[in-house]
């Protein structure tokens, strides 16, 4: 169900992932020290879509329950 929700919420085409994560901007120099995780300002660490993803999961769960 999570995979289906991710596919419904996010455009997973290469061009949209580049756009959404800002991968075409030269921002990576500040993230290359000490690993690339837990940098609060890194685009891939943002959780602004969490509520939208949760709502999609809830909607899909309701559909499964209602048959």
């Amino acid at each position: 169900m999570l995979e289906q929700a991710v596919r419904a919420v996010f455009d997973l085409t290469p061009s949209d992932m580049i756009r959404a994560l800002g991968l075409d901007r030269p921002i990576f120099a500040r993230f290359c020290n000490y690993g690339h995780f837990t940098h609060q300002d890194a685009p891939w660490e943002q959780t602004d879509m969490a509520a939208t993803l949760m709502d999609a999961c809830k909607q899909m769960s309701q559909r499964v329950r209602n048959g």
Side-chain angles (χ1 to χ4, degrees), residues 35-67:
H36 60 281
F37 297 105
T38 69
H39 289 278
Q40 297 298 330
D41 54 342
W44 50 86
E45 294 288 342
Q46 303 308 305
T47 59
D48 57 323
M49 294 298 291
T52 303
L53 188 57
M54 179 69 81
D55 289 342
C57 285
K58 287 178 183 176
Q59 289 175 3
M60 289 182 182
S61 177
Q62 289 267 245
R63 284 187 217 138
V64 168
R65 288 184 190 147
N66 294 335

Side-chain angles (χ1 to χ4, degrees), residues 20-33:
L21 297 174
L23 299 178
D24 56 348
R25 295 179 294 143
I27 62 171
F28 299 102
R30 62 185 162 164
F31 302 121
C32 64
N33 292 328

Side-chain angles (χ1 to χ4, degrees), residues 1-12:
M1 184 177 319
L2 180 58
E3 178 185 354
Q4 293 168 340
V6 167
R7 290 181 184 278
V9 170
F10 297 102
D11 181 351
L12 298 177

